[in-house]
Amino acid sequence: MNFDAWGKTVPQTITGDLLWKVNAYRVALFLSDVVWRDATKLAGDQRTLSLSDQHYRAVGSISANVSEGYSRSSGKDRVRFYEYATASAREARDWYFKGRHVLGFEVANHRMQLLAEIIRLLLTMIPEQRSVLVREEHAACSVSAPSDIAF
């Protein structure tokens, strides 16, 4: 399944929300679905059992923080949560790097590329939000999500 096919499986209660227009949120939500498989594989190996929980939480925190930030009324408040999401993405990238021997180098590299894309999107959004007072008109990030995401 690729990113576009996955997007068609997301319920309208999510896709109908203006938050869905935020590319970093969509890619993070996609990765949240993918991490289930990865965390399960990490949990199956004694060497990475404890890593799997931290890994799962870090990935899940990305879309949660983007969502929380999006709901804030001021740019300053939004930026704080977008920065938390950036930190969670960096943490998740670190866990993927550490789990690469169990997950496989190709899988880990793909996930780290997704995380790098999320970080790039967030680092584009943060300066924009620092200068914006009204969110709704600026909800869509100007950077496109990659079309070749697959897992």
Side-chain angles (χ1 to χ4, degrees):
M1 175 185 293
N2 65 29
F3 183 77
D4 293 329
W6 168 84
K8 293 175 184 172
T9 69
V10 178
Q12 200 278 327
T13 56
I14 293 174
T15 61
D17 190 319
L18 286 175
L19 175 60
W20 186 249
K21 293 182 179 185
V22 179
N23 292 327
Y25 176 75
R26 287 196 315 265
V27 178
L29 208 57
F30 173 72
L31 188 58
S32 293
D33 269 358
V34 173
V35 78
W36 278 92
R37 180 182 318 167
D38 299 338
T40 300
K41 189 168 185 179
L42 291 170
D45 188 305
Q46 286 294 37
R47 297 168 295 178
T48 54
L49 176 62
S50 62
L51 183 147
S52 68
D53 181 56
Q54 292 177 306
H55 177 98
Y56 176 75
R57 289 173 188 242
V59 171
S61 178
I62 301 166
S63 60
N65 277 305
V66 172
S67 177
E68 180 75 22
Y70 182 84
S71 299
R72 298 300 168 142
S73 62
S74 75
K76 182 179 178 181
D77 288 339
R78 282 189 299 280
V79 164
R80 181 179 319 118
F81 285 95
Y82 294 162
E83 287 172 341
Y84 293 155
T86 303
S88 292
R90 287 183 170 140
E91 178 187 356
R93 183 178 57 189
D94 183 69
W95 293 124
Y96 268 114
F97 179 77
K98 291 173 181 170
R100 71 193 185 283
H101 301 288
V102 173
L103 293 172
F105 291 96
E106 188 175 320
V107 168
N109 187 50
H110 174 258
R111 307 309 192 254
M112 288 187 286
Q113 287 176 0
L114 286 173
L115 288 160
E117 178 67 11
I118 292 167
I119 292 166
R120 186 181 68 76
L121 290 165
L122 288 167
L123 291 177
T124 300
M125 292 167 58
I126 290 169
E128 290 175 0
Q129 291 301 314
R130 284 194 173 118
S131 63
V132 175
L133 295 177
V134 179
R135 170 183 29 82
E136 294 299 326
E137 296 88 334
H138 302 284
C141 184
S142 60
V143 181
S144 299
S147 61
D148 61 342
I149 298 173
F151 70 99

